[in-house]
């Protein structure tokens, strides 16, 4: 039988990137070949995002293009994975009959069986006949508030992660929490990814250790509300010899250690500390995304005391108006948010030793009912927060959410667009000022690779540069040639632990390949809004 080639494209967030990596590993272990060229594939899979309509539109248009191709190639199997599959369900197939396989983000462990069935059916039927295969979670994940004794098969997907040697300088994601219990009124995630579930700390630490053994230099822990992580050891359940993930509970007050006096609990602070101590060869540990409320001092203390945990927090505020925050069901006020930022800076901002605390945020403009005055308050918040960078989104009504059902989307698109642009301009000013403040400081920079400029100089095409990680070996070989052949010293790029991008020239007499994946001390000599430039010391 010929090897089936699969093209897998990812849309949306880091959680999706990780899901795609796990799915790709699982499929290649089963003998499928992953191809970077959609036109060569027997199976086309889109791992989709539903957070905003725009993200969905991209997928709709790709599916439209595939419909034409399928008329020429009836054996083509098309799969939609992720949040759009879960949210739209069979309506998606009614609208786009080109789709054969639907697999929600909570069912990805079942994908190999679905694909196998679809391919077999396709082959045994004459072209064009349906090979439909569907696995969706529906509302099952919220059925019971008690801990379930059933095996969590999605955990097996994370556990079976195939970790092979990684390119030098590589980073990796590790999931600690799936799903979300927050139900912000604009957001589809609690519906598409289901209830919050925390992975056992042993599994997480073991995965980090294996990644580091394979050469990973930076790990980013993932969770929708990552700082809500906690695992109660007294309630631990073991099914088929595997410790099961646990459903999240809602606590009144802080999620820090005090809330669990006398219980055997691994809190988020404990988890960070344990990874830091038990994976000592990991140079950098990060985490996203933090929920601004319930952020105990215990987490800030651990970050302060563990030198390899990055001084970087992504803490979305979403709005600077208390009225809007209430309607978003965010559960904090603007003053509480800013109090948290002050507290975090008090613990973690140490520019004098090259470790300023860097913050990033998310803001939604044009939430239903947002007035000019509300928006002015958001501008005020953005100025006071001084984010290194801020992701700004126009509100996008999402069917099924409370905001969609109960609050009319009454801010005209042109107003949303204007607010979006105004806020972007303000954030650019702030980012620019923060960049310039770094001139004269010295940072530890984790070198990730050659800068785009040097890659172009080494003769790589734009496409190769985009797929830099995949072609790392080729780049290495070619870099060596160019380094030897020209007097030009290749420019390296890397990041500070606060996630600032830094460019610097390879020091005289050194091979750039030897520096990739290393931490190099760099003194910043100039800066623009997006990047810092300096010399290695
Ligand atoms: N419209 C616009 N932005 C949204 N986000 C989530 N849902 C919506 C929506 N319906 C943004 C939030 C969140 C980020 C991941 O996406 O800012 O933090
Ligand atoms: Fe969505 Fe709110 Fe959960 Fe973030 S915290 S994933 S915005 S519901």
């Amino acid at each position: 039988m010929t090897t089936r080639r699969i093209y897998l494209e990812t849309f949306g967030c880091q959680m999706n990137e990780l899901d795609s990596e796990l799915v790709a590993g699982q499929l290649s272990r089963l003998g499928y070949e992953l191809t970077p060229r959609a036109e060569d594939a027997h199976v086309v899979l889109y791992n989709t995002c539903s957070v905003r309509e725009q993200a969905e539109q991209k997928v709709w248009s790709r599916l439209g293009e595939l419909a034409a191709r399928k008329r020429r190639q009836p054996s083509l199997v098309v799969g939609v994975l992720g949040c759009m599959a879960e949210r739209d369900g069979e309506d998606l197939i009614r609208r786009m009959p080109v789709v054969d396989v639907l697999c929600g983000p909570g069912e990805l462990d079942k994908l190999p069986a679905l694909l196998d069935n679809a391919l077999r059916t396709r082959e045994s039927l004459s072209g064009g006949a349906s090979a439909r295969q569907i696995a969706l979670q529906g509302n099952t994940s919220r059925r019971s508030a008690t801990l379930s004794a059933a095996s969590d098969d999605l955990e097996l997907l994370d556990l079976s992660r195939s970790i092979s040697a990684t390119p030098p300088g590589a980073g990796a994601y590790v999931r600690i929490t799936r799903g979300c219990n927050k139900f912000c009124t604009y957001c589809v995630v609690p519906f598409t990814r289901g209830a919050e579930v925390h992975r056992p700390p042993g599994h997480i630490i073991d995965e980090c250790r294996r990644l580091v053994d394979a050469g990973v230099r930076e790990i980013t822990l993932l969770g929708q509300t990552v700082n809500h992580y906690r695992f109660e050891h007294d309630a631990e359940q073991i099914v088929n010899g595997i410790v099961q993930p646990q459903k999240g509970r809602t606590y009144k007050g802080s999620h820090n250690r005090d809330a669990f006096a006398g219980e055997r609990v691994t809190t988020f602070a404990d988890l960070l500390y344990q990874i830091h101590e038990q994976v000592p060869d990991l140079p950098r540990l990060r985490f996203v995304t933090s929920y601004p409320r319930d952020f105990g001092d215990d987490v800030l203390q651990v970050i302060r005391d563990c030198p390899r945990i990055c001084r970087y927090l992504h803490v979305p505020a979403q709005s600077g108006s208390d009225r809007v925050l209430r309607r978003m069901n965010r559960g904090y006020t603007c003053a509480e948010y800013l109090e948290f930022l002050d507290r975090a800076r008090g613990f973690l901002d140490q520019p004098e030793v090259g470790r300023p605390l860097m913050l990033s945020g998310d803001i939604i403009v044009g939430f239903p009912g947002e007035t000019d005055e509300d928006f002015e308050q958001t501008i005020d918040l953005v100025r006071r927060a001084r984010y290194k960078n801020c992701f700004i989104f126009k509100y996008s009504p999402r069917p099924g959410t409370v905001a969609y059902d109960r609050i009319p989307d009454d801010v005209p698109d042109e107003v949303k667009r204007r607010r979006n642009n105004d806020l972007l301009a303000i954030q650019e000013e702030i980012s620019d000022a923060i960049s310039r403040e770094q001139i004269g400081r010295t940072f530890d920079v984790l070198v990730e690779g050659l800068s785009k400029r040097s890659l172009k100089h080494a003769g790589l095409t734009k496409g190769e540069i985009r797929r830099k990680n995949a072609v790392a070996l080729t780049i290495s070989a070619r870099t060596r040639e160019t380094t030897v052949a020209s007097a030009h010293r290749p420019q390296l790029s890397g990041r500070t632990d606060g996630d600032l991008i830094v460019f610097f020239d390879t020091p005289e007499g050194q091979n750039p390949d030897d520096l990739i994946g290393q931490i190099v001390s760099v003194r910043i000599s100039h800066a623009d809004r997006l990047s810092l430039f300096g010399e290695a010391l």
Side-chain angles (χ1 to χ4, degrees):
M1 200 169 58
T2 55
T3 309
R4 264 58 163 272
R5 284 189 297 274
I6 296 186
Y7 172 77
L8 170 59
E9 186 170 342
T10 309
F11 299 80
C13 61
Q14 292 141 323
M15 203 58 100
N16 268 12
E17 284 174 35
L18 174 58
D19 281 340
S20 288
E21 183 188 329
L22 297 178
V23 158
Q26 184 192 38
L27 293 173
S28 53
R29 272 197 309 281
L30 291 168
Y32 292 96
E33 184 188 321
L34 274 296
T35 166
R37 291 162 52 93
E39 56 278 21
D40 289 347
H42 304 104
V43 178
V44 172
L45 300 177
Y46 294 140
N47 190 8
T48 61
C49 170
S50 282
V51 165
R52 283 170 295 277
E53 196 188 347
Q54 215 183 7
E56 292 196 339
Q57 235 127 36
K58 259 193 243 166
V59 175
W60 287 120
S61 81
R62 292 289 165 86
L63 290 172
E65 291 159 20
L66 283 183
R69 171 166 162 198
K70 201 159 178 169
R71 280 192 286 278
R72 297 190 307 273
Q73 184 192 347
S75 63
L76 180 72
V77 168
V78 176
V80 174
L81 322 180
C83 290
M84 270 176 85
E86 189 62 49
R87 203 174 74 76
D88 292 353
E90 296 187 40
D91 282 349
L92 192 146
I93 295 188
R94 272 191 282 280
R95 177 166 164 190
M96 276 293 170
V98 69
V99 175
D100 303 294
V101 174
L102 278 185
C103 188
E107 306 292 318
L108 290 172
D109 53 296
K110 304 194 177 68
L111 182 65
L114 302 181
L115 272 189
D116 190 53
N117 284 341
L119 283 159
R120 278 173 206 274
T121 322
R122 177 76 346 130
E123 276 151 24
S124 66
L125 296 170
S126 55
S130 167
R132 212 134 286 160
Q133 299 293 323
I134 298 174
L136 303 170
Q137 200 170 35
N139 262 336
T140 51
S141 78
R142 298 204 176 272
R143 238 184 351 225
S144 148
T146 57
L147 295 169
S148 146
S151 164
D152 180 330
D153 290 339
L154 202 53
E155 182 62 13
L156 299 178
L157 183 63
D158 284 80
L159 284 177
S160 68
R161 181 172 193 169
S162 51
I163 296 174
S164 48
T166 53
Y173 296 123
V174 170
R175 189 182 343 256
I176 68 167
T177 296
R178 300 195 308 250
C180 183
N181 284 352
K182 282 293 172 193
F183 288 96
C184 301
T185 54
Y186 50 79
C187 184
V188 291
V189 170
F191 304 99
T192 58
R193 290 204 177 258
E196 186 181 77
V197 170
H198 306 291
R199 299 185 62 208
H203 294 182
I204 297 167
I205 295 167
D206 191 50
E207 194 171 323
C208 292
R209 210 181 276 125
R210 290 195 301 132
L211 286 163
V212 171
D213 288 346
V216 163
R217 306 285 286 154
E218 176 176 292
I219 288 179
T220 304
L221 305 177
L222 295 185
Q224 308 293 346
T225 53
V226 74
N227 50 321
H228 280 182
Y229 177 84
R230 65 108 193 69
F231 193 88
E232 296 172 18
H233 296 275
D234 293 329
E236 187 173 287
Q237 298 244 3
I238 300 180
V239 179
N240 300 330
I242 294 170
V243 181
Q244 297 298 299
Q246 281 181 356
K247 289 206 167 178
R249 276 204 275 146
T250 308
Y251 296 94
K252 290 218 169 62
S254 167
H255 275 235
N256 71 13
R257 173 124 301 290
D258 308 342
F260 308 105
E263 294 177 51
R264 290 198 311 135
V265 170
T266 300
T267 61
F268 182 56
D270 297 333
L271 182 72
L272 283 178
Y273 182 72
Q274 287 172 21
I275 298 174
H276 186 268
E277 295 305 297
Q278 294 181 34
V279 195
D281 294 331
L282 171 65
R284 281 197 177 160
L285 179 61
R286 303 181 183 280
F287 54 89
V288 289
T289 295
S290 297
Y291 193 72
R293 218 185 58 188
D294 322 322
F295 219 126
D297 285 352
D298 56 346
V299 180
L300 300 175
Q301 272 156 13
V302 167
I303 303 173
R304 182 192 59 199
D305 297 342
C306 295
R308 290 172 291 106
I309 302 181
C310 296
R311 303 280 171 102
Y312 170 84
L313 296 174
H314 178 213
V315 251
Q318 312 296 4
S319 169
S321 150
D322 287 342
R323 207 177 64 87
V324 174
L325 286 171
R326 232 178 358 257
R327 291 155 64 117
M328 288 177 162
N329 190 32
R330 288 290 287 177
Y332 53 83
T333 60
C334 177
E336 284 165 340
Y337 180 84
L338 290 170
E339 180 277 326
F340 165 67
L341 295 194
D342 281 347
R343 198 153 47 91
R345 287 202 162 102
F347 274 95
L348 302 175
D349 192 32
Q350 292 182 292
E352 64 287 357
V353 295
R355 304 201 73 192
L357 173 65
M358 288 294 150
L359 299 167
S360 71
D362 293 355
I363 295 284
I364 297 176
V365 294
F367 186 76
E370 184 188 72
T371 60
D372 284 343
E373 196 191 331
D374 293 319
F375 179 63
E376 288 298 323
Q377 291 173 358
T378 297
I379 292 182
D380 204 45
L381 176 131
V382 167
R383 288 198 193 282
R384 288 166 70 180
R386 286 199 101 226
Y387 300 115
K388 164 183 95 75
N389 66 306
C390 181
F391 303 95
I392 300 162
F393 306 106
K394 291 190 299 175
Y395 169 69
S396 168
R398 308 283 55 220
T401 59
V402 168
Y404 182 90
D405 291 337
R406 303 211 195 128
I407 326 180
D409 177 24
D410 58 357
V411 179
D413 196 54
E414 83 191 59
V415 175
K416 284 184 189 157
R417 208 172 324 131
R418 203 187 55 233
R419 289 180 186 165
N420 188 66
N421 291 343
D422 288 356
L423 206 52
L424 271 176
I426 289 164
Q427 180 55 47
E428 280 182 12
E429 261 173 47
I430 298 168
S431 300
D432 199 50
I434 290 179
S435 261
R436 284 171 211 287
E437 281 161 23
Q438 312 312 321
I439 296 173
R441 290 183 180 156
T442 300
F443 290 95
D444 282 346
V445 173
L446 176 61
V447 183
E448 290 174 341
L450 288 168
S451 69
K452 277 190 192 155
R453 196 182 80 187
S454 288
L455 290 172
K456 251 190 357 223
H457 196 87
L460 266 81
T461 64
K462 274 195 189 144
E464 282 174 319
I465 293 174
R466 230 181 296 121
R467 295 195 301 272
K468 201 162 62 161
N469 278 346
V471 291
L473 290 178
T474 342
I475 292 172
S476 269
R478 281 208 227 161
T479 319
R480 218 165 263 128
E481 281 163 32
T482 16
T483 320
V484 175
S486 79
H488 164 81
R489 285 195 284 149
Q491 190 188 51
L492 290 160
S493 81
R495 278 178 303 133
T496 69
D497 84 328
D499 209 38
L500 296 164
I501 299 168
V502 179
F503 295 101
F504 64 100
D505 287 344
T506 307
E508 201 82 59
Q510 294 214 32
N511 187 326
D513 289 343
D514 297 339
L515 293 178
I516 296 174
Q518 304 299 312
I519 291 189
V520 173
S521 202
V522 177
R523 192 181 159 78
I524 304 306
S525 53
H526 56 293
D528 64 25
R529 178 168 57 80
L530 298 174
S531 342
L532 309 178
F533 301 85
E535 297 93 40
L537 296 181

